[in-house]
Amino acid sequence: MKIKKEITRGLGAVSACLLTVVSLGTPVAEAYEGRLNTVLGIETTKTVSDEGLDVDTDYYKSDYGTDIYDGDKLQQLEDDAAAQAVAEQEEGSVLLKNDNNALPLAAGSSITLFGQNSIESTESVAGSTGFGGPQSYSGPFYSYHSTANSTQELVTYLGAMESVYDVNQTMVKAYQESGYMRVKSVDDPQIGEAPADFYTENLKNSWQDQYNDAAVVMLTRQASEDCDLLLEDPEGISQLALHQDEKDLLNMLKEQKEQGVFKKIILLVNSNWAMELGDLDDYDVDACLWIGSPGIVGFTGVVNLLQGEANPSGKLVDTYAKNSLSAPAITYAQMKNTPEWANLDEVLEYCSDSDQYVSNYLIYAEDIYVGYKYYETRYEDTVLGNGNADSIVGSSTGKAWNYNDEIAYPFGYGLSYTTFSQTLDGVEYDETTDTYNVKVTVTNTGDVAGKSVAEVYAQTPYGDYEKENNVEKSAVQVVGFDKTDILAPGASETLEIPVERYLLASYDYTNAKGYILSEGDYYFAIGDDAHDALNNILAAKGAKGMTDALGEKAEGNAEKAYSWNNAKLDTESYKMSRYSDMEVTNQFDDANLNNLGTDTVTYLSRSDWEGTYPAEQVSVTATEDMMKTLNGDLYTEPEDAPSVDDFTQGVDAGINFVAMKDVDYDDDATWDKFLDQLTVEEMASILPDQNGSVLVESIAMPSTYRGDDMDCLEQVTFKLTGKSGIVWPSTVVMTCTWNKDDVAKRSSMAANEAYFMGATEIWSGGPNCHRTQFNGRASAYYSEDGNMGYLVGTVVAENVQKYGIILGYKHMVVNDQEAHRESAATFTNEQALREQYLRAFEGAYTKGGAMGCMTAFNRIGCTYCGSSSALLTTVMRGEWAYKGHVTSDAVVNMDYKKHYTSNITAGLDYWCWDMAGFGASDDSSVVLSKDMVTEAIENGDGYMLQTLRNATKHNVYAQVHSILINGLDETSHVVHITPWWKTALKAATIGFGTITILFIVLYYLEMLVWSKKRGENA
């Protein structure tokens, strides 16, 4: 009987534990309901309409039909996307070096693969990545995203090479079993290359008589979100430099080549970050092909290039410096060079947010001189003897600054297996469109078919006015490009490349306080790269003493340059916005440290390179006003605020969500009537995001479905299969195609994938700049140049939005590193902000029609980006006439992003991942955006209600121009569907509760009744 009692008690205890788990887990699951439903692909509502209406409600259609459960169409889409990804890798890979026609390498060649990261270890998962944190990898860097859940099978580097070449399996096995792996961690970064003593005589014997047609070496660098590359790693050098184990490997191969063993050495650069490749000749490397990160199938394209089935036509979108630390931006960059306030203790005592979110600052002291805009401008001034350009300051050699000591490969550089000539046929200005038309004829002068890029650069005047008013000018800036079709040997194609005159304007933040067109001589030039184009401009100026990208004497070609003169300073052409009736003038004076009454900064100027180069950091003491802004509580109800009673809410006007699809944004009367229908609680309910927003039943607005990212739609999945989208080659590879048609195709296919997932919005990287080459998320951003972001972003946005997919670009703005990205105060001047960092986003919003925006983690000056009315309201909605909606980046209980009333009144419309109990806090009762905004309105804040109505309008306007309206008509209403997991949890709670009670009853019956009876009977 004792055993029976113990069993009863034990089972009861188990049941009680399970009941406790379910009881505690249920509110947690409900707190994450939206995120959980997204992961599980669960629909929580169904929209139904009255019968009898003859209306086509497929307002947006994909290229593969409208039935997102059509398996054949989905498979066709993914196969087409894979084919496009291969083509993109072929066009985006950049041939940096090809001595003696070392490439192509004939199919069937007997080769040995070198580099630990060229081989997948038997202990690693190929393509697996994650968010920061120490993680080990072996094998190539396939993607920032995991390839595990993609619809396409991973094409490994090894598998692709073995499909074409006879590969040395002894070396393959040795690498697989070596145990060497790279560690992607800020605290313990490792390159992961095998040391010199790994290559024993037995291994060397494996390629002495065979597998020596070529040594194919792969070098890899990888970073990620929350994990920049290091300015100084444990070896005491830049993480982008060649490390000793890599040098030893290359030296060993050089010796083998000198001994007649290897016929050639071919290097593959598997990195989206510009490695230091200036010493390849020292290692007798014959050919070098940059491949970025090829994604899930891109290595098929890489092998096609290697064997000559495809011809490289990619061009760099970053400057490859011989010394990655030679850029002036390095002075304030990454973990090592992001300082803390001089009066940090005072700041921490003043500010209420977590210490880590108010401690650091950055100064963009380099002004506009990022990437090629620094190196090429200093080169011109060196050639012309201007501005102390040849001083020692900023030199990597300790000698007078010299371009060819600093640069390995310039922006726009890239070779081919054939040769091309280009002629500048003419330039015409169209006043009606305010656009120049640059006509370029390209001819294939070699003996292999291929494509060529026509790159158009501009130079604008830098005279006395500019020097006196701190208006800086780059010697060249890219303003347009186009790419030919495949040209057979001897064939030609004429390209007509539009260039917006607006891109020639400079922002004068000191005198005109707006955009100006300078007085003086202007130039357009074509060239094989930015440096070649600049030499052509210098030739047109009659300059001497130029050198080409490889250090050889260059004459330039004046016939490839076109010039004209602007007779006087023009401050009127772009005084007003091109998209609204708003004047474009200074909005970010408080982002310039020199205006804040504290320590000042000297911005880099080409008028005096030596005297203005940011060689040392400025120690900044935060003033009380700066600390007040850092503290984040920026909202005070205006004295002239309307009353809550001035607004009508919750009155049925008979206008449902889909009825607003054709209502003009500026039709205030209709919008007000529509908004009057909603209660405060309904409007506030769509403020917190969990990869989507909740439905609003009264207006039949369904719930939304959102996720990352244009390189792979990973947080959302196909409704039919539960699989993620294709893992594309990196955004950098895409940009390196310099092919707007290819960019358009990829963008369209990504939008089609989102369509089949039912995803209304893609949060996508792209426009942030490679301010330095160490940015952990550089693989997701287009290039180092704001104009390149403007031109490419326009194409991407156009081709996503047309399918009814909201393109939510991130991270707006000056989010150019991962170290201290959370709330670092970022100081710059308005010219750099306008011409580089805002410019990179501008094209997507003003020309491409993007309807979504995600703000950055950091601050502009001391103001958190999500609380910057200058950014979100004045520039975006005012100057750019933006009509979409704006979200924060992930809130996840980071307190500096939770000054909700300051955020929403500045122009934020909803909060990404604003979830109770998520992140650092264990308090599941933490206040959400909807609670704080609702509380302010309940306390009588009419301005807050007005702001909430505006945010609702923005959210509705964006979503009513998306696939969310498909299937809806004016009779539509919503029916709730309870997720299966809610039913399961409820059933489990009831079941375990019932069983627990039963066992408790049995236990006490055993103890008090049955045992007593047994005693009496005894």
Side-chain angles (χ1 to χ4, degrees):
M1 292 304 166
K2 184 177 180 182
I3 295 175
K4 184 177 179 181
K5 183 166 58 179
E6 293 299 328
I7 292 174
T8 301
R9 184 168 63 182
L11 291 175
V14 171
S15 178
C17 288
L18 291 173
L19 176 62
T20 301
V21 170
V22 173
S23 298
L24 293 175
T26 296
V28 173
E30 289 176 347
Y32 296 114
E33 180 174 350
R35 183 79 181 101
L36 189 57
N37 290 334
T38 298
V39 171
L40 297 175
I42 293 173
E43 300 284 358
T44 58
T45 61
K46 180 172 67 174
T47 305
V48 297
S49 301
D50 295 343
E51 296 182 2
L53 283 181
D54 185 17
V55 178
D56 180 4
T57 58
D58 289 323
Y59 305 103
Y60 293 97
K61 297 177 172 62
S62 86
D63 294 328
Y64 298 84
T66 58
D67 181 2
I68 65 175
Y69 294 95
D70 186 328
D72 292 337
K73 292 295 186 182
L74 175 58
Q75 188 62 53
Q76 182 184 345
L77 164 60
E78 289 301 273
D79 290 346
D80 289 348
Q84 178 60 30
V86 171
E88 181 179 287
Q89 186 67 48
E90 292 171 355
E91 289 211 26
S93 297
V94 183
L95 184 62
L96 298 175
K97 181 179 173 66
N98 195 24
D99 295 346
N100 305 313
N101 296 318
L103 288 176
L105 178 66
S109 295
S110 183
I111 65 173
T112 301
L113 304 181
F114 289 96
Q116 178 65 46
N117 294 315
S118 65
I119 307 298
E120 279 78 34
S121 167
T122 55
E123 300 175 0
S124 69
V125 179
S128 174
T129 61
F131 291 91
Q135 299 179 49
S136 298
Y137 302 94
S138 184
F141 177 30
Y142 289 99
S143 174
Y144 173 68
H145 299 276
S146 171
T147 61
N149 196 43
S150 177
T151 55
Q152 295 290 320
E153 184 177 349
L154 175 67
V155 176
T156 67
Y157 169 61
L158 177 59
M161 295 296 280
E162 288 176 337
S163 71
V164 174
Y165 298 112
D166 184 15
V167 175
N168 183 345
Q169 294 300 316
T170 299
M171 275 305 304
V172 169
K173 184 177 181 181
Y175 277 131
Q176 287 176 334
E177 297 176 353
S178 72
Y180 295 104
M181 303 180 80
R182 67 183 182 275
V183 177
K184 183 172 66 67
S185 165
V186 171
D187 299 322
D188 184 25
Q190 297 177 23
I191 299 302
E193 193 53 72
D197 59 11
F198 172 76
Y199 301 97
T200 63
E201 289 303 315
N202 284 337
L203 280 182
K204 291 178 180 179
N205 288 336
S206 72
W207 65 70
Q208 295 303 307
D209 300 319
Q210 193 180 358
Y211 308 116
N212 53 21
D213 288 338
V216 182
V217 184
M218 177 179 284
L219 299 181
T220 296
R221 293 294 184 273
Q222 177 183 357
S224 73
E225 182 171 2
D226 274 332
C227 187
D228 291 322
L229 295 175
L230 298 186
L231 304 181
E232 183 178 347
D233 69 9
E235 288 193 29
I237 59 176
S238 158
Q239 208 167 349
L240 290 170
L242 290 182
H243 284 55
Q244 193 59 53
D245 290 336
E246 294 170 323
K247 292 178 180 179
D248 290 343
L249 168 59
L250 291 172
N251 274 321
M252 183 268 291
L253 295 177
K254 177 183 177 182
E255 293 173 1
Q256 292 285 294
K257 183 180 175 185
E258 290 172 344
Q259 294 169 14
V261 179
F262 283 113
K263 297 180 178 66
K264 58 185 73 172
I265 301 172
I266 297 168
L267 178 64
L268 301 180
V269 182
N270 174 219
S271 170
N272 295 298
W273 297 266
M275 292 184 63
E276 296 179 13
L277 301 174
D279 299 328
L280 298 186
D281 287 345
D282 294 346
Y283 303 104
D284 203 14
V285 172
D286 297 279
C288 178
L289 182 69
W290 176 88
I291 61 172
S293 51
I296 197 164
V297 296
F299 272 110
T300 296
V302 172
V303 170
N304 288 344
L305 290 168
L306 291 176
Q307 66 176 317
E309 290 295 312
N311 191 344
S313 60
K315 299 280 190 172
L316 294 178
V317 292
D318 292 292
T319 303
Y320 274 58
K322 292 181 179 179
N323 173 10
S324 55
L325 303 178
S326 65
I330 294 295
T331 306
Y332 296 94
Q334 283 36 74
M335 183 68 73
K336 180 182 179 183
N337 287 341
T338 303
E340 295 179 335
W341 303 108
N343 58 332
L344 180 61
D345 290 343
E346 185 180 358
V347 172
L348 298 183
E349 183 178 355
Y350 187 99
C351 296
S352 59
D353 291 335
S354 302
D355 291 358
Q356 70 203 76
Y357 300 139
V358 293
S359 297
N360 298 94
Y361 66 90
L362 290 163
I363 303 175
Y364 285 20
E366 69 280 1
D367 203 285
I368 67 167
Y369 299 112
V370 173
Y372 76 92
K373 290 181 178 177
Y374 165 64
Y375 294 106
E376 300 301 339
T377 305
R378 193 159 180 181
Y379 164 76
E380 175 178 90
D381 286 348
T382 301
V383 170
L384 299 180
N386 294 331
N388 301 312
D390 61 352
S391 70
I392 193 174
V393 176
S395 168
S396 297
T397 63
K399 303 175 183 177
W401 193 92
N402 178 276
Y403 180 85
N404 296 109
D405 290 337
E406 305 293 338
I407 299 302
Y409 302 105
F411 181 93
Y413 182 87
L415 304 175
S416 170
Y417 294 154
T418 188
T419 56
F420 296 93
S421 67
Q422 296 187 357
T423 60
L424 180 58
D425 299 336
V427 177
E428 295 180 355
Y429 174 65
D430 184 343
E431 187 173 1
T432 60
T433 61
D434 196 28
T435 302
Y436 294 94
N437 186 55
V438 181
K439 189 175 292 186
V440 181
T441 297
V442 183
T443 302
N444 185 342
T445 57
D447 54 9
V448 178
K451 294 185 177 184
S452 179
V453 176
E455 305 174 28
V456 180
Y457 294 86
Q459 182 182 105
T460 64
Y462 182 63
D464 291 341
Y465 178 90
E466 288 71 32
K467 294 174 185 177
E468 292 168 3
N469 292 287
N470 300 320
V471 181
E472 296 301 321
K473 296 294 188 82
S474 174
V476 287
Q477 57 175 326
V478 65
V479 290
F481 61 88
D482 202 358
K483 196 168 193 176
T484 67
D485 293 328
I486 296 177
L487 298 179
S492 298
E493 182 178 350
T494 298
L495 303 171
E496 295 188 7
I497 304 168
V499 175
E500 296 178 49
R501 187 172 70 126
Y502 169 69
L503 296 181
L504 307 182
S506 299
Y507 195 86
D508 174 5
Y509 67 93
T510 63
N511 186 39
K513 297 185 178 179
Y515 282 105
I516 64 170
L517 289 167
S518 297
E519 174 187 346
D521 293 330
Y522 288 71
Y523 293 87
F524 282 139
I526 59 173
D528 293 335
D529 49 64
H531 189 70
D532 186 42
L534 179 53
N535 277 338
N536 294 335
I537 292 172
L538 289 170
K541 290 181 172 183
K544 302 295 181 182
M546 289 91 78
T547 56
D548 66 17
L550 302 180
E552 301 296 325
K553 183 178 179 180
E555 299 294 333
N557 185 346
E559 293 182 357
K560 291 186 176 182
Y562 170 87
S563 68
W564 72 98
N565 182 269
N566 198 31
K568 63 179 182 178
L569 177 70
D570 177 359
T571 62
E572 295 298 319
S573 286
Y574 302 110
K575 183 179 182 67
M576 305 300 293
S577 167
R578 298 185 295 164
Y579 305 99
S580 72
D581 59 359
M582 188 168 186
E583 181 180 356
V584 179
T585 191
N586 286 14
Q587 300 298 334
F588 301 97
D589 286 339
D590 59 354
N592 188 337
L593 195 66
N594 296 336
N595 298 325
L596 301 183
T598 184
D599 310 271
T600 58
V601 59
T602 298
Y603 291 105
L604 182 59
S605 173
R606 67 183 295 190
S607 65
D608 182 6
W609 294 102
E610 183 176 26
T612 62
Y613 191 92
E616 296 180 357
Q617 292 183 350
V618 175
S619 179
V620 178
T621 300
T623 66
E624 184 174 352
D625 285 343
M626 292 166 68
M627 288 187 281
K628 182 178 180 180
T629 304
L630 286 170
N631 200 40
D633 292 323
L634 307 180
Y635 172 67
T636 301
E637 183 180 359
E639 291 183 2
D640 60 349
S643 167
V644 169
D645 294 335
D646 290 340
F647 300 94
T648 300
Q649 304 298 157
V651 177
D652 185 6
I655 308 173
N656 70 0
F657 169 66
V658 73
M660 300 301 290
K661 67 182 179 64
D662 296 319
V663 176
D664 189 86
Y665 181 88
D666 296 320
D667 183 351
D668 292 337
T670 304
W671 277 103
D672 283 341
K673 190 176 180 181
F674 172 78
L675 294 169
D676 288 348
Q677 301 176 115
L678 296 165
T679 66
V680 169
E681 290 72 20
E682 285 176 322
M683 291 189 290
S685 71
I686 60 178
L687 297 180
D689 161 87
Q690 296 185 33
N691 282 100
S693 60
V694 299
L695 77 108
V696 181
E697 187 171 355
S698 66
I699 55 170
M701 185 173 81
S703 56
T704 62
Y705 189 42
R706 307 171 178 133
D708 287 353
D709 159 306
M710 288 289 285
D711 282 2
C712 173
L713 300 179
E714 195 171 37
Q715 292 172 355
V716 287
T717 57
F718 292 116
K719 296 294 186 183
L720 178 64
T721 64
K723 293 283 189 178
S724 299
I726 191 172
V727 181
W728 292 90
S730 68
T731 296
V732 185
V733 172
M734 179 193 77
T735 311
C736 283
T737 66
W738 291 66
N739 188 331
K740 292 181 181 179
D741 289 340
D742 275 4
V743 172
K745 289 177 183 176
R746 166 168 165 169
S747 303
S748 294
M749 287 186 171
N752 274 277
E753 286 187 311
Y755 191 103
F756 270 73
M757 294 172 175
T760 54
E761 184 162 7
I762 302 170
W763 294 320
S764 175
N768 286 118
C769 295
H770 304 169
R771 175 176 173 255
T772 76
Q773 292 303 320
F774 296 85
N775 184 348
R777 300 178 85 171
S779 63
Y781 303 143
Y782 296 134
S783 84
E784 68 183 20
D785 182 58
N787 281 1
M788 200 71 180
Y790 179 95
L791 297 168
V792 173
T794 298
V795 178
V796 174
E798 287 174 345
N799 287 280
V800 172
Q801 288 289 160
K802 71 183 182 181
Y803 293 97
I805 308 300
I806 301 169
L807 180 59
Y809 263 134
K810 57 184 181 183
H811 308 86
M812 187 88 167
V813 64
V814 290
N815 180 187
D816 305 307
Q817 67 180 51
E818 292 302 287
H820 300 295
R821 63 175 180 163
E822 291 91 356
S823 83
T826 309
F827 297 103
T828 184
N829 64 54
E830 192 139 354
Q831 182 184 8
L833 191 58
R834 294 272 189 173
E835 293 184 29
Q836 174 75 350
Y837 304 103
L838 285 171
R839 176 69 52 79
F841 285 85
E842 185 178 351
Y845 292 117
T846 59
K847 303 180 73 65
M851 295 289 286
C853 175
M854 178 180 284
T855 62
F857 277 128
N858 56 287
R859 303 172 187 269
I860 305 176
C862 294
T863 306
Y864 165 52
C865 287
S867 294
S868 173
S869 60
L871 173 67
L872 304 181
T873 299
T874 306
V875 171
M876 289 197 71
R877 297 205 182 278
E879 295 177 15
W880 294 358
Y882 176 62
K883 297 179 176 63
H885 62 177
V886 180
T887 179
S888 70
D889 204 334
V891 173
V892 292
N893 273 348
M894 294 180 183
D895 50 10
Y896 79 97
K897 287 186 281 189
K898 300 180 70 172
H899 298 274
Y900 294 122
T901 57
S902 299
N903 304 153
I904 194 169
T905 52
L908 205 67
D909 298 312
Y910 73 99
W911 284 262
C912 171
W913 285 14
D914 184 21
M915 298 182 265
F918 189 94
S921 172
D922 294 325
D923 181 7
S924 62
S925 65
V926 66
V927 175
L928 301 181
S929 51
K930 63 184 179 68
D931 304 316
M932 186 69 75
V933 171
T934 302
E935 181 182 353
I937 296 169
E938 289 174 348
N939 290 333
D941 190 337
Y943 185 77
M944 188 59 61
L945 176 53
Q946 183 181 59
T947 301
L948 177 60
R949 286 170 64 97
N950 290 338
T952 305
K953 175 183 176 180
H954 302 154
N955 287 321
V956 171
Y957 188 87
Q959 290 166 188
V960 83
H961 290 86
S962 78
I963 60 171
L964 195 62
I965 65 173
N966 278 4
L968 303 180
D969 61 39
E970 295 190 16
T971 72
S972 296
H973 56 280
V974 176
V975 175
H976 291 271
I977 303 172
T978 302
W980 61 262
W981 59 266
K982 274 193 170 183
T983 304
L985 286 175
K986 185 175 182 179
T989 301
I990 295 171
F992 288 128
T994 302
I995 293 171
T996 301
I997 292 171
L998 176 61
F999 279 121
I1000 291 173
V1001 170
L1002 289 174
Y1003 178 78
Y1004 279 101
L1005 285 173
E1006 177 66 30
M1007 289 286 294
L1008 302 176
V1009 180
W1010 294 336
S1011 59
K1012 183 177 180 181
K1013 288 184 176 180
R1014 285 194 295 271
E1016 291 173 351
N1017 292 334

